[in-house]
PDB file of all heavy atoms in Angstrom:
ATOM      1  N   GLY A1292      19.824  -2.065   8.214  1.00 94.00           N
ATOM      2  CA  GLY A1292      19.558  -0.716   7.728  1.00 94.00           C
ATOM      3  C   GLY A1292      18.303  -0.579   6.893  1.00 94.00           C
ATOM      4  O   GLY A1292      17.893   0.545   6.584  1.00 94.00           O
ATOM      5  N   GLN A1293      17.682  -1.681   6.530  1.00 96.00           N
ATOM      6  CA  GLN A1293      16.436  -1.628   5.768  1.00 96.00           C
ATOM      7  C   GLN A1293      15.256  -1.451   6.719  1.00 96.00           C
ATOM      8  O   GLN A1293      15.271  -1.939   7.853  1.00 96.00           O
ATOM      9  CB  GLN A1293      16.248  -2.923   4.951  1.00 96.00           C
ATOM     10  CG  GLN A1293      17.365  -3.201   3.966  1.00 96.00           C
ATOM     11  CD  GLN A1293      17.500  -2.105   2.933  1.00 96.00           C
ATOM     12  OE1 GLN A1293      16.524  -1.719   2.296  1.00 96.00           O
ATOM     13  NE2 GLN A1293      18.714  -1.582   2.787  1.00 96.00           N
ATOM     14  N   LEU A1294      14.223  -0.752   6.269  1.00 98.00           N
ATOM     15  CA  LEU A1294      13.055  -0.557   7.130  1.00 98.00           C
ATOM     16  C   LEU A1294      12.351  -1.881   7.396  1.00 98.00           C
ATOM     17  O   LEU A1294      12.064  -2.643   6.465  1.00 98.00           O
ATOM     18  CB  LEU A1294      12.068   0.415   6.492  1.00 98.00           C
ATOM     19  CG  LEU A1294      12.385   1.906   6.567  1.00 98.00           C
ATOM     20  CD1 LEU A1294      11.198   2.697   6.033  1.00 98.00           C
ATOM     21  CD2 LEU A1294      12.723   2.346   7.980  1.00 98.00           C
ATOM     22  N   VAL A1295      12.077  -2.110   8.679  1.00 98.00           N
ATOM     23  CA  VAL A1295      11.385  -3.333   9.090  1.00 98.00           C
ATOM     24  C   VAL A1295      10.343  -2.986  10.151  1.00 98.00           C
ATOM     25  O   VAL A1295      10.370  -1.902  10.741  1.00 98.00           O
ATOM     26  CB  VAL A1295      12.360  -4.385   9.671  1.00 98.00           C
ATOM     27  CG1 VAL A1295      13.362  -4.838   8.619  1.00 98.00           C
ATOM     28  CG2 VAL A1295      13.070  -3.859  10.919  1.00 98.00           C
ATOM     29  N   VAL A1296       9.434  -3.926  10.362  1.00 98.00           N
ATOM     30  CA  VAL A1296       8.560  -3.882  11.529  1.00 98.00           C
ATOM     31  C   VAL A1296       9.218  -4.749  12.592  1.00 98.00           C
ATOM     32  O   VAL A1296       9.217  -5.983  12.494  1.00 98.00           O
ATOM     33  CB  VAL A1296       7.151  -4.408  11.209  1.00 98.00           C
ATOM     34  CG1 VAL A1296       6.274  -4.377  12.459  1.00 98.00           C
ATOM     35  CG2 VAL A1296       6.516  -3.609  10.087  1.00 98.00           C
ATOM     36  N   PHE A1297       9.836  -4.104  13.558  1.00 98.00           N
ATOM     37  CA  PHE A1297      10.513  -4.804  14.652  1.00 98.00           C
ATOM     38  C   PHE A1297       9.488  -4.905  15.778  1.00 98.00           C
ATOM     39  O   PHE A1297       9.274  -3.956  16.526  1.00 98.00           O
ATOM     40  CB  PHE A1297      11.742  -3.998  15.075  1.00 98.00           C
ATOM     41  CG  PHE A1297      12.657  -4.694  16.044  1.00 98.00           C
ATOM     42  CD1 PHE A1297      13.895  -5.143  15.639  1.00 98.00           C
ATOM     43  CD2 PHE A1297      12.283  -4.882  17.369  1.00 98.00           C
ATOM     44  CE1 PHE A1297      14.752  -5.768  16.525  1.00 98.00           C
ATOM     45  CE2 PHE A1297      13.119  -5.516  18.264  1.00 98.00           C
ATOM     46  CZ  PHE A1297      14.363  -5.966  17.853  1.00 98.00           C
ATOM     47  N   ALA A1298       8.853  -6.059  15.874  1.00 98.00           N
ATOM     48  CA  ALA A1298       7.698  -6.208  16.763  1.00 98.00           C
ATOM     49  C   ALA A1298       8.026  -7.060  17.977  1.00 98.00           C
ATOM     50  O   ALA A1298       8.795  -8.026  17.895  1.00 98.00           O
ATOM     51  CB  ALA A1298       6.529  -6.830  16.007  1.00 98.00           C
ATOM     52  N   LEU A1299       7.420  -6.691  19.092  1.00 98.00           N
ATOM     53  CA  LEU A1299       7.471  -7.466  20.316  1.00 98.00           C
ATOM     54  C   LEU A1299       6.032  -7.791  20.693  1.00 98.00           C
ATOM     55  O   LEU A1299       5.180  -6.900  20.758  1.00 98.00           O
ATOM     56  CB  LEU A1299       8.155  -6.678  21.431  1.00 98.00           C
ATOM     57  CG  LEU A1299       9.630  -6.350  21.159  1.00 98.00           C
ATOM     58  CD1 LEU A1299      10.135  -5.290  22.133  1.00 98.00           C
ATOM     59  CD2 LEU A1299      10.486  -7.604  21.245  1.00 98.00           C
ATOM     60  N   LEU A1300       5.762  -9.072  20.911  1.00 98.00           N
ATOM     61  CA  LEU A1300       4.400  -9.526  21.166  1.00 98.00           C
ATOM     62  C   LEU A1300       4.374 -10.382  22.420  1.00 98.00           C
ATOM     63  O   LEU A1300       5.295 -11.179  22.656  1.00 98.00           O
ATOM     64  CB  LEU A1300       3.850 -10.335  19.981  1.00 98.00           C
ATOM     65  CG  LEU A1300       3.849  -9.640  18.613  1.00 98.00           C
ATOM     66  CD1 LEU A1300       5.126  -9.975  17.841  1.00 98.00           C
ATOM     67  CD2 LEU A1300       2.636 -10.061  17.787  1.00 98.00           C
ATOM     68  N   VAL A1301       3.329 -10.230  23.212  1.00 98.00           N
ATOM     69  CA  VAL A1301       3.165 -11.022  24.427  1.00 98.00           C
ATOM     70  C   VAL A1301       1.716 -11.475  24.512  1.00 98.00           C
ATOM     71  O   VAL A1301       0.799 -10.645  24.573  1.00 98.00           O
ATOM     72  CB  VAL A1301       3.531 -10.212  25.687  1.00 98.00           C
ATOM     73  CG1 VAL A1301       3.133 -10.986  26.945  1.00 98.00           C
ATOM     74  CG2 VAL A1301       5.022  -9.907  25.714  1.00 98.00           C
ATOM     75  N   CYS A1302       1.513 -12.777  24.500  1.00 98.00           N
ATOM     76  CA  CYS A1302       0.182 -13.343  24.696  1.00 98.00           C
ATOM     77  C   CYS A1302       0.181 -14.093  26.015  1.00 98.00           C
ATOM     78  O   CYS A1302       0.883 -15.110  26.167  1.00 98.00           O
ATOM     79  CB  CYS A1302      -0.199 -14.282  23.549  1.00 98.00           C
ATOM     80  SG  CYS A1302      -1.942 -14.772  23.601  1.00 98.00           S
ATOM     81  N   ALA A1303      -0.554 -13.577  26.990  1.00 96.00           N
ATOM     82  CA  ALA A1303      -0.604 -14.174  28.319  1.00 96.00           C
ATOM     83  C   ALA A1303      -1.709 -15.220  28.344  1.00 96.00           C
ATOM     84  O   ALA A1303      -2.890 -14.884  28.412  1.00 96.00           O
ATOM     85  CB  ALA A1303      -0.868 -13.095  29.365  1.00 96.00           C
ATOM     86  N   GLY A1304      -1.314 -16.462  28.267  1.00 87.00           N
ATOM     87  CA  GLY A1304      -2.307 -17.529  28.253  1.00 87.00           C
ATOM     88  C   GLY A1304      -1.677 -18.857  27.883  1.00 87.00           C
ATOM     89  O   GLY A1304      -0.452 -19.004  27.863  1.00 87.00           O
ATOM     90  N   GLN A1305      -2.507 -19.814  27.581  1.00 90.00           N
ATOM     91  CA  GLN A1305      -2.034 -21.141  27.219  1.00 90.00           C
ATOM     92  C   GLN A1305      -1.322 -21.118  25.872  1.00 90.00           C
ATOM     93  O   GLN A1305      -1.606 -20.281  25.009  1.00 90.00           O
ATOM     94  CB  GLN A1305      -3.207 -22.124  27.170  1.00 90.00           C
ATOM     95  CG  GLN A1305      -3.912 -22.298  28.501  1.00 90.00           C
ATOM     96  CD  GLN A1305      -3.004 -22.883  29.574  1.00 90.00           C
ATOM     97  OE1 GLN A1305      -2.225 -23.808  29.306  1.00 90.00           O
ATOM     98  NE2 GLN A1305      -3.094 -22.343  30.785  1.00 90.00           N
ATOM     99  N   ALA A1306      -0.406 -22.078  25.689  1.00 93.00           N
ATOM    100  CA  ALA A1306       0.432 -22.095  24.496  1.00 93.00           C
ATOM    101  C   ALA A1306      -0.391 -22.226  23.219  1.00 93.00           C
ATOM    102  O   ALA A1306      -0.125 -21.534  22.230  1.00 93.00           O
ATOM    103  CB  ALA A1306       1.455 -23.228  24.591  1.00 93.00           C
ATOM    104  N   ASP A1307      -1.398 -23.099  23.216  1.00 95.00           N
ATOM    105  CA  ASP A1307      -2.156 -23.299  21.982  1.00 95.00           C
ATOM    106  C   ASP A1307      -2.954 -22.050  21.614  1.00 95.00           C
ATOM    107  O   ASP A1307      -3.001 -21.650  20.445  1.00 95.00           O
ATOM    108  CB  ASP A1307      -3.078 -24.515  22.100  1.00 95.00           C
ATOM    109  CG  ASP A1307      -4.004 -24.454  23.313  1.00 95.00           C
ATOM    110  OD1 ASP A1307      -3.803 -23.585  24.195  1.00 95.00           O
ATOM    111  OD2 ASP A1307      -4.937 -25.288  23.386  1.00 95.00           O
ATOM    112  N   ALA A1308      -3.543 -21.385  22.634  1.00 95.00           N
ATOM    113  CA  ALA A1308      -4.271 -20.154  22.368  1.00 95.00           C
ATOM    114  C   ALA A1308      -3.316 -19.056  21.913  1.00 95.00           C
ATOM    115  O   ALA A1308      -3.649 -18.237  21.041  1.00 95.00           O
ATOM    116  CB  ALA A1308      -5.032 -19.711  23.620  1.00 95.00           C
ATOM    117  N   GLY A1309      -2.129 -19.030  22.483  1.00 96.00           N
ATOM    118  CA  GLY A1309      -1.137 -18.045  22.082  1.00 96.00           C
ATOM    119  C   GLY A1309      -0.700 -18.222  20.643  1.00 96.00           C
ATOM    120  O   GLY A1309      -0.571 -17.240  19.892  1.00 96.00           O
ATOM    121  N   GLU A1310      -0.497 -19.435  20.244  1.00 96.00           N
ATOM    122  CA  GLU A1310      -0.098 -19.694  18.856  1.00 96.00           C
ATOM    123  C   GLU A1310      -1.190 -19.256  17.884  1.00 96.00           C
ATOM    124  O   GLU A1310      -0.912 -18.691  16.824  1.00 96.00           O
ATOM    125  CB  GLU A1310       0.217 -21.184  18.666  1.00 96.00           C
ATOM    126  CG  GLU A1310       1.461 -21.669  19.399  1.00 96.00           C
ATOM    127  CD  GLU A1310       2.747 -21.086  18.841  1.00 96.00           C
ATOM    128  OE1 GLU A1310       2.736 -20.519  17.721  1.00 96.00           O
ATOM    129  OE2 GLU A1310       3.779 -21.188  19.521  1.00 96.00           O
ATOM    130  N   ARG A1311      -2.451 -19.486  18.254  1.00 97.00           N
ATOM    131  CA  ARG A1311      -3.550 -19.049  17.395  1.00 97.00           C
ATOM    132  C   ARG A1311      -3.603 -17.520  17.311  1.00 97.00           C
ATOM    133  O   ARG A1311      -3.852 -16.953  16.245  1.00 97.00           O
ATOM    134  CB  ARG A1311      -4.886 -19.587  17.919  1.00 97.00           C
ATOM    135  CG  ARG A1311      -5.074 -21.086  17.727  1.00 97.00           C
ATOM    136  CD  ARG A1311      -6.526 -21.502  17.947  1.00 97.00           C
ATOM    137  NE  ARG A1311      -6.980 -21.202  19.309  1.00 97.00           N
ATOM    138  CZ  ARG A1311      -6.847 -22.053  20.331  1.00 97.00           C
ATOM    139  NH1 ARG A1311      -6.264 -23.229  20.152  1.00 97.00           N
ATOM    140  NH2 ARG A1311      -7.296 -21.722  21.534  1.00 97.00           N
ATOM    141  N   ALA A1312      -3.358 -16.852  18.436  1.00 97.00           N
ATOM    142  CA  ALA A1312      -3.400 -15.392  18.442  1.00 97.00           C
ATOM    143  C   ALA A1312      -2.271 -14.789  17.616  1.00 97.00           C
ATOM    144  O   ALA A1312      -2.426 -13.713  17.015  1.00 97.00           O
ATOM    145  CB  ALA A1312      -3.320 -14.887  19.878  1.00 97.00           C
ATOM    146  N   LEU A1313      -1.128 -15.462  17.545  1.00 98.00           N
ATOM    147  CA  LEU A1313       0.029 -14.941  16.819  1.00 98.00           C
ATOM    148  C   LEU A1313       0.007 -15.279  15.337  1.00 98.00           C
ATOM    149  O   LEU A1313       0.712 -14.640  14.543  1.00 98.00           O
ATOM    150  CB  LEU A1313       1.316 -15.482  17.443  1.00 98.00           C
ATOM    151  CG  LEU A1313       1.586 -15.056  18.891  1.00 98.00           C
ATOM    152  CD1 LEU A1313       2.793 -15.781  19.447  1.00 98.00           C
ATOM    153  CD2 LEU A1313       1.774 -13.556  18.994  1.00 98.00           C
ATOM    154  N   ALA A1314      -0.793 -16.257  14.957  1.00 98.00           N
ATOM    155  CA  ALA A1314      -0.800 -16.716  13.562  1.00 98.00           C
ATOM    156  C   ALA A1314      -1.080 -15.597  12.559  1.00 98.00           C
ATOM    157  O   ALA A1314      -0.404 -15.530  11.507  1.00 98.00           O
ATOM    158  CB  ALA A1314      -1.810 -17.852  13.398  1.00 98.00           C
ATOM    159  N   PRO A1315      -2.045 -14.687  12.793  1.00 98.00           N
ATOM    160  CA  PRO A1315      -2.294 -13.633  11.791  1.00 98.00           C
ATOM    161  C   PRO A1315      -1.083 -12.743  11.518  1.00 98.00           C
ATOM    162  O   PRO A1315      -0.941 -12.216  10.410  1.00 98.00           O
ATOM    163  CB  PRO A1315      -3.437 -12.827  12.419  1.00 98.00           C
ATOM    164  CG  PRO A1315      -4.116 -13.779  13.351  1.00 98.00           C
ATOM    165  CD  PRO A1315      -3.018 -14.634  13.897  1.00 98.00           C
ATOM    166  N   PHE A1316      -0.228 -12.551  12.495  1.00 98.00           N
ATOM    167  CA  PHE A1316       0.944 -11.698  12.307  1.00 98.00           C
ATOM    168  C   PHE A1316       1.987 -12.388  11.439  1.00 98.00           C
ATOM    169  O   PHE A1316       2.637 -11.749  10.606  1.00 98.00           O
ATOM    170  CB  PHE A1316       1.526 -11.306  13.666  1.00 98.00           C
ATOM    171  CG  PHE A1316       0.565 -10.539  14.520  1.00 98.00           C
ATOM    172  CD1 PHE A1316      -0.307 -11.192  15.391  1.00 98.00           C
ATOM    173  CD2 PHE A1316       0.500  -9.153  14.441  1.00 98.00           C
ATOM    174  CE1 PHE A1316      -1.207 -10.490  16.162  1.00 98.00           C
ATOM    175  CE2 PHE A1316      -0.394  -8.433  15.215  1.00 98.00           C
ATOM    176  CZ  PHE A1316      -1.265  -9.102  16.071  1.00 98.00           C
ATOM    177  N   ARG A1317       2.135 -13.679  11.615  1.00 98.00           N
ATOM    178  CA  ARG A1317       3.079 -14.432  10.798  1.00 98.00           C
ATOM    179  C   ARG A1317       2.628 -14.497   9.343  1.00 98.00           C
ATOM    180  O   ARG A1317       3.447 -14.653   8.432  1.00 98.00           O
ATOM    181  CB  ARG A1317       3.232 -15.852  11.355  1.00 98.00           C
ATOM    182  CG  ARG A1317       4.053 -15.915  12.638  1.00 98.00           C
ATOM    183  CD  ARG A1317       4.015 -17.299  13.225  1.00 98.00           C
ATOM    184  NE  ARG A1317       5.106 -17.555  14.158  1.00 98.00           N
ATOM    185  CZ  ARG A1317       4.992 -18.261  15.271  1.00 98.00           C
ATOM    186  NH1 ARG A1317       3.806 -18.773  15.609  1.00 98.00           N
ATOM    187  NH2 ARG A1317       6.046 -18.462  16.044  1.00 98.00           N
ATOM    188  N   LYS A1318       1.319 -14.353   9.108  1.00 98.00           N
ATOM    189  CA  LYS A1318       0.781 -14.444   7.749  1.00 98.00           C
ATOM    190  C   LYS A1318       0.868 -13.120   6.983  1.00 98.00           C
ATOM    191  O   LYS A1318       0.587 -13.072   5.782  1.00 98.00           O
ATOM    192  CB  LYS A1318      -0.677 -14.898   7.800  1.00 98.00           C
ATOM    193  CG  LYS A1318      -0.862 -16.333   8.288  1.00 98.00           C
ATOM    194  CD  LYS A1318      -2.344 -16.689   8.384  1.00 98.00           C
ATOM    195  CE  LYS A1318      -2.533 -18.113   8.886  1.00 98.00           C
ATOM    196  NZ  LYS A1318      -3.972 -18.457   9.046  1.00 98.00           N
ATOM    197  N   LEU A1319       1.240 -12.040   7.667  1.00 98.00           N
ATOM    198  CA  LEU A1319       1.298 -10.738   6.998  1.00 98.00           C
ATOM    199  C   LEU A1319       2.364 -10.703   5.915  1.00 98.00           C
ATOM    200  O   LEU A1319       2.204 -10.032   4.890  1.00 98.00           O
ATOM    201  CB  LEU A1319       1.566  -9.628   8.024  1.00 98.00           C
ATOM    202  CG  LEU A1319       0.433  -9.347   9.015  1.00 98.00           C
ATOM    203  CD1 LEU A1319       0.922  -8.422  10.121  1.00 98.00           C
ATOM    204  CD2 LEU A1319      -0.756  -8.726   8.286  1.00 98.00           C
ATOM    205  N   ALA A1320       3.457 -11.399   6.142  1.00 98.00           N
ATOM    206  CA  ALA A1320       4.561 -11.475   5.181  1.00 98.00           C
ATOM    207  C   ALA A1320       5.519 -12.545   5.690  1.00 98.00           C
ATOM    208  O   ALA A1320       5.456 -12.948   6.859  1.00 98.00           O
ATOM    209  CB  ALA A1320       5.286 -10.136   5.055  1.00 98.00           C
TER     210      ALA A1320
END
């Protein structure tokens, strides 16, 4: 019931590049 950012993300590519692309989102909070 608390407000959240319920996010769905898709990075089409290699696993290592995908992890790098997702890292900034994990650092937001």
Side-chain angles (χ1 to χ4, degrees):
Q1293 301 299 309
L1294 282 187
V1295 297
V1296 179
F1297 189 109
L1299 296 166
L1300 304 93
V1301 171
C1302 190
Q1305 298 297 318
D1307 54 349
E1310 292 292 345
R1311 288 194 299 271
L1313 296 173
F1316 299 90
R1317 286 173 160 142
K1318 293 177 181 177
L1319 292 170

